[in-house]
Amino acid sequence: MSDLLLKMPNVYEPLRKNRFIFRFPSDLGIQEWTVESGKRPSINQNVTEIQFLNTSMWVLGRYTWQDMQLTFRDPIGPSTSQAIMEWVRLGSESITGRQGYAAGYKRDVELEMLDPTGAVVQKWLIKGAFLSNVEFGELNYSEDGLATITATLRPDYCILCY
């Protein structure tokens, strides 16, 4: 067991949960600093069973990238509520009932993980993402916390660049 610890490098710096930036296309108007928390991409790989006589073997089936949860701070200005609602309206307009084309509401988002100096050490491209669920948060007279927005980002696929 002690041999295992000797193999660990002396200079070891792990990724930290609090060193990240979500970058949105500039036309959406969503500021990077308004993201309070987020989830990194996750993938679900289905398995297919191949039965033969009294046994089975397994191979990979279809895979899907899972939803990503994001929480935004909602300052008075610039309004995160307004920016997110504008993105929602690209897909579904509640006043007219019209819906947009996928080319209009799907966007590519970047997730960058940073080292202690602020250099990008891990980069994800979140391709064809759109908002599938948005909750503009609860209010309560007995609390003085920040107003937040929770959104579900639905990607087509994700790429880990490095």
Side-chain angles (χ1 to χ4, degrees), residues 55-74:
T55 188
S56 295
M57 65 177 278
W58 302 87
V59 294
L60 285 175
R62 298 180 72 171
Y63 66 91
T64 53
W65 288 94
Q66 302 302 299
D67 291 343
M68 298 172 65
Q69 303 300 318
L70 299 175
T71 302
F72 296 88
R73 296 179 191 97
D74 195 11

Side-chain angles (χ1 to χ4, degrees), residues 128-149:
F130 62 94
L131 297 174
S132 64
N133 186 41
V134 177
E135 296 180 27
F136 288 96
E138 295 181 14
L139 304 173
N140 189 330
Y141 283 120
S142 65
E143 294 182 21
D144 61 356
L146 302 177
T148 59
I149 302 166

Side-chain angles (χ1 to χ4, degrees), residues 1-77:
M1 183 63 151
S2 63
D3 291 346
L4 195 65
L5 294 175
L6 293 176
K7 295 183 189 299
M8 180 183 245
N10 288 336
V11 183
Y12 169 69
E13 183 65 39
L15 287 174
R16 303 290 177 102
K17 289 183 176 184
N18 65 340
R19 295 183 188 144
F20 67 92
I21 297 175
F22 277 91
R23 296 197 189 276
F24 300 90
S26 60
D27 67 314
L28 293 177
I30 299 173
Q31 306 293 319
E32 288 89 356
W33 58 269
T34 61
V35 178
E36 182 176 283
S37 64
K39 185 179 174 198
R40 289 197 285 178
S42 60
I43 189 170
N44 181 31
Q45 298 192 90
N46 292 333
V47 294
T48 301
E49 181 181 11
I50 301 172
Q51 297 178 349
F52 182 70
L53 297 176
N54 62 350
T55 188
S56 295
M57 65 177 278
W58 302 87
V59 294
L60 285 175
R62 298 180 72 171
Y63 66 91
T64 53
W65 288 94
Q66 302 302 299
D67 291 343
M68 298 172 65
Q69 303 300 318
L70 299 175
T71 302
F72 296 88
R73 296 179 191 97
D74 195 11
I76 295 170

Side-chain angles (χ1 to χ4, degrees), residues 6 69 76 84 91 100 108 121 126 143 147 149 152 154 158 162:
L6 293 176
Q69 303 300 318
I76 295 170
I84 288 177
D108 294 346
V121 293
I126 303 159
E143 294 182 21
I149 302 166
T152 302
R154 176 72 229 172
C158 302
Y162 51 90

Side-chain angles (χ1 to χ4, degrees), residues 78-139:
S79 173
T80 305
S81 291
Q82 190 65 40
I84 288 177
M85 198 59 206
E86 289 300 322
W87 191 3
V88 169
R89 286 185 186 123
L90 293 174
S92 300
E93 175 55 68
S94 58
I95 295 172
T96 63
R98 288 187 251 178
Q99 290 194 297
Y101 288 98
Y105 61 79
K106 285 188 170 188
R107 294 292 197 276
D108 294 346
V109 177
E110 296 178 1
L111 168 58
E112 298 173 349
M113 299 288 295
L114 310 173
D115 73 0
T117 67
V120 178
V121 293
Q122 185 179 94
K123 183 173 184 173
W124 285 91
L125 297 179
I126 303 159
K127 306 294 279 182
F130 62 94
L131 297 174
S132 64
N133 186 41
V134 177
E135 296 180 27
F136 288 96
E138 295 181 14
L139 304 173

